[in-house]
């Protein structure tokens, strides 16, 4: 399987990848990267710019194995747009694990803070990111900062969100309004291929700055975009080095 170079994917933003099942290799022009597998997270802050490649290992592709994960792009404030790139390798065992009193939900706090519990991910603006598994029929209400926005993406299953129980299912996103708590509930009956409701919950303090984007670049002005393209075209973002931190087979 060919690996595609994604030029300067975060000259303006961190790129976050979470692996639910399967194996994924990451490599970038700053020497960051490695292999993530079940429950692991990679958080790449590209800042002033870098090149990176991400793909399942060839052994997984050739065997026809499955990969299940998510990738998010998180904007940076203007003052941090040109910071030095950084790569965070967050293993599944490092996240903060929480459960509800009735045991109906398991929460994995990856970054930020939830009700006094801190995740390992380091962010540049206040952000909370967690992965929730909710068993059929269970309901959970989480405290949430009122100055945060919030969205929930359904990875698997079906259920409802909000106090008014609006239905939501796999592949859909709910955007929450202002408030100090977030509620979601798993339906009593789930599909056979998705026994639980799986949700990624993300929110943070709005940056509220102008944004200009084109291709893989996100900056604040058109002039900054032009500079980013010039830097890429002139090779200032570096080159992809030899595979970093990977063994044969992606392990």
């Amino acid at each position: 399987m060919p690996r595609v170079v994604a030029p300067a994917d975060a000259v303006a933003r961190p790129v976050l990848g979470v692996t639910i099942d399967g194996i994924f290799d990451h490599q970038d022009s700053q020497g960051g990267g490695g292999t993530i597998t079940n429950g692991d997270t990679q958080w790449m802050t590209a800042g002033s710019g870098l090149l990176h490649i991400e793909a399942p290992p060839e052994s997984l592709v050739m065997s026809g194995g499955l990969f299940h994960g998510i990738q998010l792009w998180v904007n940076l404030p203007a003052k941090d747009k040109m910071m030095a790139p950084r790569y965070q390798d967050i293993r599944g065992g490092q996240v903060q694990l929480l459960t509800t009193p009735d045991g109906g939900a398991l929460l994995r706090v990856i970054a930020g803070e939830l009700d006094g519990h801190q995740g390992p991910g380091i962010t540049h603006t206040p952000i909370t990111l967690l992965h929730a598994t909710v068993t059929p029929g269970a309901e959970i209400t989480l405290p949430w900062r009122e100055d945060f926005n919030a969205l929930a993406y359904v990875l698997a299953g079906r259920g409802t969100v909000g106090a008014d129980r609006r239905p939501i299912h796999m592949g859909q996103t709910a955007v929450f309004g202002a408030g100090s708590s977030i509620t979601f509930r798993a339906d009593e009956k789930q599909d056979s291929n998705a026994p639980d409701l799986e949700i990624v919950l993300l929110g943070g303090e709005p940056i509220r700055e102008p944004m200009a984007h084109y291709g893989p670049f996100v900056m604040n002005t058109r002039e900054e975009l032009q500079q980013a393209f010039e830097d890429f075209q002139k090779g200032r973002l570096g080159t992809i080095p030899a595979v970093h931190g990977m063994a044969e087979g992606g392990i």
Side-chain angles (χ1 to χ4, degrees), residues 45-71:
T45 303
S48 58
L50 46 67
L51 307 182
H52 73 95
I53 55 176
E54 297 165 316
E58 185 177 357
S59 58
L60 182 67
V61 176
M62 297 301 294
S63 66
L66 298 177
F67 175 79
H68 186 201
I70 61 169
Q71 185 181 77

Side-chain angles (χ1 to χ4, degrees), residues 62 68-69 86 92 148-149 157 172 179 192 204:
M62 297 301 294
H68 186 201
R86 180 177 63 188
F148 273 23
N149 51 27
Q172 291 187 319
S192 59

Side-chain angles (χ1 to χ4, degrees), residues 22-246:
I23 305 171
F24 209 58
D25 291 339
H26 171 94
Q27 188 182 6
D28 66 49
S29 56
Q30 293 288 317
T35 297
I36 59 173
T37 185
N38 303 345
D40 295 339
T41 301
Q42 59 184 16
W43 197 307
M44 182 186 74
T45 303
S48 58
L50 46 67
L51 307 182
H52 73 95
I53 55 176
E54 297 165 316
E58 185 177 357
S59 58
L60 182 67
V61 176
M62 297 301 294
S63 66
L66 298 177
F67 175 79
H68 186 201
I70 61 169
Q71 185 181 77
L72 299 170
W73 293 340
V74 183
N75 195 21
L76 284 172
K79 66 181 179 60
D80 295 325
K81 283 286 198 291
M82 299 303 290
M83 65 173 289
R86 180 177 63 188
Y87 179 85
Q88 299 176 66
D89 192 4
I90 303 171
R91 296 298 166 184
Q94 295 176 299
V95 302
Q96 185 78 254
L97 293 178
L98 308 173
T99 61
T100 51
D102 62 0
L106 175 65
L107 307 175
R108 305 165 187 85
V109 184
I110 299 169
E113 180 266 343
L114 180 70
D115 197 26
H117 302 279
Q118 188 74 37
I122 300 171
T123 67
H124 296 280
T125 58
I127 292 172
T128 294
L129 170 69
L130 62 90
H131 172 205
T133 300
V134 188
T135 59
E139 180 175 291
I140 181 171
T141 297
L142 300 175
W144 201 252
R145 281 179 49 170
E146 293 192 36
D147 58 337
F148 273 23
N149 51 27
L151 62 84
Y153 176 75
V154 182
L155 287 164
R158 57 184 66 248
T160 61
V161 295
D164 54 354
R165 294 192 173 184
R166 298 194 179 190
I168 193 169
H169 58 75
M170 184 177 68
Q172 291 187 319
T173 300
V175 179
F176 294 86
S180 59
S181 65
I182 290 175
T183 299
F184 41 92
R185 183 181 189 276
D187 286 355
E188 295 280 355
K189 293 183 178 181
Q190 300 288 335
D191 297 334
S192 59
N193 63 341
D196 301 309
L197 175 65
E198 302 271 357
I199 284 181
V200 170
L201 181 62
L202 172 68
E205 188 176 84
I207 297 176
R208 304 194 191 285
E209 293 178 346
M211 188 173 68
H213 65 91
Y214 188 82
F217 299 95
V218 178
M219 300 298 289
N220 294 97
T221 67
R222 183 176 180 84
E223 290 72 24
E224 289 173 341
L225 281 179
Q226 292 172 337
Q227 182 64 54
F229 271 100
E230 180 181 331
D231 289 345
F232 167 64
Q233 291 166 350
K234 293 187 176 181
R236 295 171 184 153
L237 304 185
T239 58
I240 302 293
V243 174
H244 176 81
M246 302 179 198

